[in-house]
Coordinates of all heavy atoms in Angstrom, one line a residue:
L1081 N -16.5 8.7 -38.1 CA -15.6 9.4 -38.9 C -15.8 10.9 -38.7 O -16.9 11.4 -38.9 CB -15.8 9.1 -40.4 CG -15.0 10.0 -41.4 CD1 -13.5 9.7 -41.2 CD2 -15.4 9.8 -42.8
A1105 N -12.1 14.7 -44.4 CA -12.5 16.0 -44.9 C -13.9 16.0 -45.5 O -14.2 15.0 -46.2 CB -11.4 16.4 -46.0
D1106 N -14.6 17.0 -45.2 CA -15.9 17.3 -45.8 C -15.7 18.4 -46.9 O -15.3 19.5 -46.5 CB -16.9 17.7 -44.8 CG -18.1 18.4 -45.3 OD1 -18.7 17.8 -46.3 OD2 -18.5 19.5 -44.9
V1107 N -15.8 18.1 -48.1 CA -15.5 19.0 -49.2 C -16.8 19.4 -50.0 O -17.7 18.6 -50.0 CB -14.4 18.5 -50.1 CG1 -13.2 18.1 -49.4 CG2 -14.9 17.3 -51.0
V1108 N -16.8 20.5 -50.6 CA -17.9 21.0 -51.3 C -17.6 21.5 -52.8 O -18.4 22.1 -53.4 CB -18.7 22.1 -50.6 CG1 -19.3 21.6 -49.3 CG2 -17.8 23.3 -50.3
S1109 N -16.4 21.2 -53.2 CA -16.0 21.5 -54.5 C -14.8 20.7 -54.9 O -14.1 20.1 -54.0 CB -15.6 23.0 -54.6 OG -14.4 23.2 -53.9
V1110 N -14.5 20.6 -56.2 CA -13.2 19.9 -56.6 C -12.0 20.6 -56.0 O -11.1 19.9 -55.6 CB -13.1 19.8 -58.1 CG1 -11.7 19.5 -58.6 CG2 -14.1 18.8 -58.7
E1112 N -11.7 22.0 -53.1 CA -11.5 21.5 -51.7 C -11.1 20.1 -51.7 O -10.3 19.7 -50.9 CB -12.8 21.7 -50.9 CG -13.1 23.1 -50.6 CD -14.2 23.3 -49.5 OE1 -14.9 22.3 -49.2 OE2 -14.5 24.4 -49.1
M1113 N -11.6 19.3 -52.6 CA -11.2 17.9 -52.7 C -9.7 17.7 -53.0 O -9.0 17.0 -52.3 CB -12.0 17.1 -53.7 CG -11.8 15.6 -53.7 SD -12.7 14.7 -54.9 CE -11.7 15.0 -56.4
R1114 N -9.3 18.6 -54.0 CA -7.9 18.5 -54.3 C -7.0 19.0 -53.2 O -5.9 18.4 -53.0 CB -7.6 19.4 -55.6 CG -8.3 18.8 -56.8 CD -7.4 17.8 -57.5 NE -6.1 18.4 -57.9 CZ -5.9 19.0 -59.0 NH1 -6.9 19.2 -59.9 NH2 -4.7 19.5 -59.3
A1116 N -7.7 18.6 -50.0 CA -7.7 17.5 -49.0 C -6.7 16.4 -49.4 O -5.9 15.9 -48.6 CB -9.1 16.9 -48.8
L1117 N -6.8 16.0 -50.7 CA -5.9 15.0 -51.2 C -4.5 15.4 -51.2 O -3.6 14.7 -50.8 CB -6.3 14.6 -52.7 CG -7.7 13.9 -52.8 CD1 -8.1 13.8 -54.2 CD2 -7.6 12.5 -52.2
I1121 N -4.9 13.5 -47.0 CA -6.0 12.9 -46.3 C -6.5 11.8 -47.3 O -6.7 12.0 -48.5 CB -7.1 13.9 -46.1 CG1 -6.6 15.0 -45.0 CG2 -8.4 13.3 -45.6 CD1 -7.6 16.0 -44.7
P1122 N -6.6 10.6 -46.8 CA -6.9 9.4 -47.6 C -8.3 9.6 -48.2 O -9.2 10.1 -47.6 CB -6.9 8.2 -46.7 CG -6.3 8.7 -45.4 CD -6.4 10.1 -45.4
A1123 N -8.5 9.2 -49.5 CA -9.8 9.4 -50.2 C -10.9 8.7 -49.4 O -12.0 9.2 -49.4 CB -9.6 8.8 -51.6
D1124 N -10.6 7.6 -48.7 CA -11.7 7.0 -48.0 C -12.1 7.7 -46.7 O -12.9 7.2 -45.9 CB -11.4 5.5 -47.8 CG -10.2 5.3 -46.8 OD1 -9.7 6.3 -46.3 OD2 -9.8 4.1 -46.7
R1125 N -11.5 8.9 -46.5 CA -12.0 9.7 -45.4 C -12.6 11.0 -45.9 O -12.7 12.0 -45.2 CB -10.8 10.0 -44.4 CG -10.6 8.9 -43.4 CD -9.7 9.4 -42.3 NE -8.4 8.9 -42.3 CZ -7.3 9.6 -41.9 NH1 -7.4 10.9 -41.6 NH2 -6.1 9.0 -41.9
I1126 N -12.9 11.0 -47.2 CA -13.4 12.3 -47.8 C -14.9 12.1 -48.2 O -15.2 11.2 -48.9 CB -12.6 12.7 -49.0 CG1 -11.1 13.0 -48.6 CG2 -13.1 14.0 -49.7 CD1 -10.2 13.4 -49.7
V1127 N -15.7 13.1 -47.8 CA -17.1 13.1 -48.2 C -17.3 14.4 -48.9 O -16.8 15.4 -48.6 CB -18.0 12.9 -46.9 CG1 -17.7 13.9 -45.8 CG2 -19.5 13.1 -47.3
F1128 N -18.1 14.3 -50.0 CA -18.4 15.4 -50.9 C -19.8 15.9 -50.7 O -20.8 15.2 -51.0 CB -18.2 15.0 -52.4 CG -17.9 16.1 -53.3 CD1 -16.7 16.1 -54.1 CD2 -18.7 17.2 -53.4 CE1 -16.4 17.1 -55.0 CE2 -18.4 18.3 -54.3 CZ -17.3 18.2 -55.1
S1129 N -20.0 17.1 -50.1 CA -21.3 17.6 -49.8 C -21.5 18.8 -50.8 O -20.7 19.1 -51.6 CB -21.3 18.2 -48.4 OG -21.0 17.3 -47.4
K1133 N -23.5 20.0 -57.3 CA -22.3 19.4 -57.8 C -22.4 19.3 -59.4 O -23.4 18.8 -59.9 CB -22.0 18.0 -57.3 CG -21.9 18.0 -55.8 CD -21.9 16.6 -55.2 CE -22.4 16.5 -53.8 NZ -23.8 16.8 -53.6
E1137 N -17.4 17.7 -61.4 CA -17.0 17.4 -60.0 C -17.4 16.0 -59.6 O -16.6 15.3 -58.9 CB -17.8 18.4 -59.1 CG -17.2 19.8 -59.2 CD -17.8 20.9 -58.3 OE1 -19.1 20.9 -58.3 OE2 -17.1 21.7 -57.7
M1138 N -18.5 15.5 -60.1 CA -18.9 14.1 -59.8 C -17.8 13.1 -60.4 O -17.4 12.2 -59.7 CB -20.2 13.8 -60.5 CG -21.4 14.5 -59.8 SD -22.9 14.2 -60.8 CE -24.1 15.1 -59.8
Q1139 N -17.4 13.4 -61.6 CA -16.4 12.6 -62.3 C -15.1 12.6 -61.5 O -14.5 11.5 -61.2 CB -16.1 13.1 -63.7 CG -17.0 12.5 -64.7 CD -16.8 13.2 -66.1 OE1 -15.8 14.0 -66.3 NE2 -17.7 13.0 -67.0
A1140 N -14.7 13.8 -61.0 CA -13.4 13.9 -60.3 C -13.5 13.1 -59.0 O -12.6 12.5 -58.5 CB -13.1 15.4 -60.0
A1141 N -14.7 13.2 -58.3 CA -14.9 12.6 -57.0 C -14.8 11.0 -57.2 O -14.2 10.3 -56.4 CB -16.2 13.0 -56.4
L1142 N -15.5 10.6 -58.3 CA -15.5 9.1 -58.5 C -14.1 8.6 -58.9 O -13.7 7.6 -58.5 CB -16.5 8.8 -59.6 CG -18.0 9.0 -59.2 CD1 -18.9 9.0 -60.4 CD2 -18.4 8.0 -58.2
A1143 N -13.4 9.4 -59.7 CA -12.1 9.0 -60.1 C -11.1 9.0 -58.9 O -10.3 8.1 -58.8 CB -11.5 10.0 -61.1
A1144 N -11.3 9.9 -58.0 CA -10.5 9.9 -56.8 C -10.8 8.8 -55.8 O -10.1 8.4 -54.9 CB -10.6 11.2 -56.1
G1145 N -12.0 8.2 -56.0 CA -12.4 7.1 -55.1 C -12.8 7.5 -53.7 O -12.4 6.8 -52.7
I1146 N -13.4 8.7 -53.5 CA -13.7 9.1 -52.2 C -14.8 8.3 -51.5 O -15.5 7.5 -52.2 CB -14.2 10.6 -52.2 CG1 -15.5 10.8 -52.9 CG2 -13.0 11.5 -52.7 CD1 -16.1 12.2 -52.7
L1147 N -15.0 8.4 -50.2 CA -15.8 7.6 -49.4 C -17.3 7.7 -49.9 O -18.0 6.7 -50.0 CB -15.7 8.0 -48.0 CG -16.6 7.2 -47.0 CD1 -16.1 5.8 -46.8 CD2 -16.7 7.9 -45.6
Q1148 N -17.8 8.9 -50.1 CA -19.2 9.1 -50.2 C -19.5 10.5 -50.8 O -18.8 11.5 -50.5 CB -19.8 9.0 -48.7 CG -21.2 9.4 -48.5 CD -21.6 9.3 -47.0 OE1 -21.2 8.3 -46.4 NE2 -22.2 10.3 -46.5
L1149 N -20.6 10.5 -51.5 CA -21.2 11.8 -52.0 C -22.5 12.0 -51.3 O -23.3 11.1 -51.3 CB -21.3 11.9 -53.5 CG -20.1 12.0 -54.3 CD1 -19.7 10.6 -54.9 CD2 -20.2 12.9 -55.5
N1150 N -22.7 13.2 -50.8 CA -24.0 13.5 -50.1 C -24.9 14.2 -51.2 O -24.6 15.3 -51.6 CB -23.8 14.4 -48.9 CG -23.2 13.6 -47.8 OD1 -23.0 12.4 -47.8 ND2 -22.9 14.3 -46.7
L1160 N -25.9 11.8 -61.2 CA -24.7 11.1 -60.7 C -24.8 9.6 -61.1 O -23.8 9.0 -61.5 CB -24.8 11.1 -59.1 CG -23.7 10.4 -58.4 CD1 -22.3 10.9 -58.8 CD2 -23.8 10.5 -56.9
K1169 N -18.4 3.0 -62.6 CA -18.1 3.1 -61.2 C -19.4 3.0 -60.4 O -20.5 3.3 -61.0 CB -17.4 4.4 -60.8 CG -16.2 4.7 -61.5 CD -15.0 4.8 -60.6 CE -13.7 5.1 -61.3 NZ -12.6 4.6 -60.6
T1170 N -19.3 2.7 -59.1 CA -20.5 2.8 -58.3 C -20.2 3.9 -57.2 O -19.2 3.9 -56.5 CB -20.7 1.5 -57.6 OG1 -21.0 0.5 -58.6 CG2 -22.0 1.6 -56.6
A1171 N -21.2 4.8 -57.1 CA -21.0 5.9 -56.1 C -21.7 5.6 -54.8 O -22.9 5.3 -54.9 CB -21.6 7.2 -56.7
D1172 N -21.0 5.5 -53.7 CA -21.6 5.4 -52.4 C -22.2 6.7 -52.1 O -21.5 7.7 -52.0 CB -20.6 5.0 -51.4 CG -20.3 3.5 -51.4 OD1 -20.9 2.8 -52.3 OD2 -19.5 3.0 -50.7
I1173 N -23.5 6.8 -51.8 CA -24.1 8.1 -51.5 C -24.9 8.1 -50.2 O -25.4 7.0 -49.8 CB -25.1 8.5 -52.6 CG1 -26.3 7.6 -52.8 CG2 -24.4 8.7 -54.0 CD1 -27.6 8.3 -52.9
R1219 N -25.0 3.3 -54.9 CA -25.3 2.5 -53.8 C -25.6 3.4 -52.6 O -24.7 4.1 -52.1 CB -24.0 1.6 -53.4 CG -24.3 0.8 -52.2 CD -23.2 -0.3 -52.0 NE -21.9 0.2 -52.2 CZ -21.0 -0.4 -53.0 NH1 -21.3 -1.6 -53.6 NH2 -19.8 0.1 -53.2
V1221 N -25.9 4.4 -49.0 CA -25.4 3.9 -47.8 C -26.0 4.6 -46.5 O -25.9 4.0 -45.4 CB -23.9 3.9 -47.7 CG1 -23.2 3.1 -48.8 CG2 -23.4 5.4 -47.7
R1260 N -24.7 4.2 -42.7 CA -24.0 5.4 -42.2 C -25.0 6.6 -42.1 O -25.9 6.7 -42.9 CB -23.0 5.9 -43.3 CG -21.6 5.5 -43.0 CD -20.6 6.1 -44.1 NE -19.8 5.0 -44.6 CZ -19.5 4.9 -45.9 NH1 -19.9 5.8 -46.8 NH2 -18.8 3.9 -46.3
M1300 N -21.1 10.0 -38.9 CA -20.0 10.9 -39.4 C -20.4 12.3 -38.9 O -21.5 12.6 -38.7 CB -20.1 10.9 -40.9 CG -19.7 9.6 -41.5 SD -20.0 9.5 -43.3 CE -19.1 11.0 -43.8

Side-chain angles (χ1 to χ4, degrees):
L1081 173 66
D1106 162 51
V1107 303
V1108 293
S1109 68
V1110 163
E1112 286 191 352
M1113 186 183 79
R1114 290 277 298 276
L1117 292 169
I1121 294 181
D1124 65 5
R1125 278 198 248 144
I1126 299 179
V1127 51
F1128 204 126
S1129 304
K1133 300 170 207 69
E1137 287 179 317
M1138 291 173 179
Q1139 272 171 15
L1142 291 167
I1146 65 165
L1147 179 72
Q1148 169 182 315
L1149 289 100
N1150 289 354
L1160 180 59
K1169 304 243 182 209
T1170 300
D1172 281 359
I1173 64 134
R1219 178 169 41 229
V1221 298
R1260 261 184 233 141
M1300 295 173 51

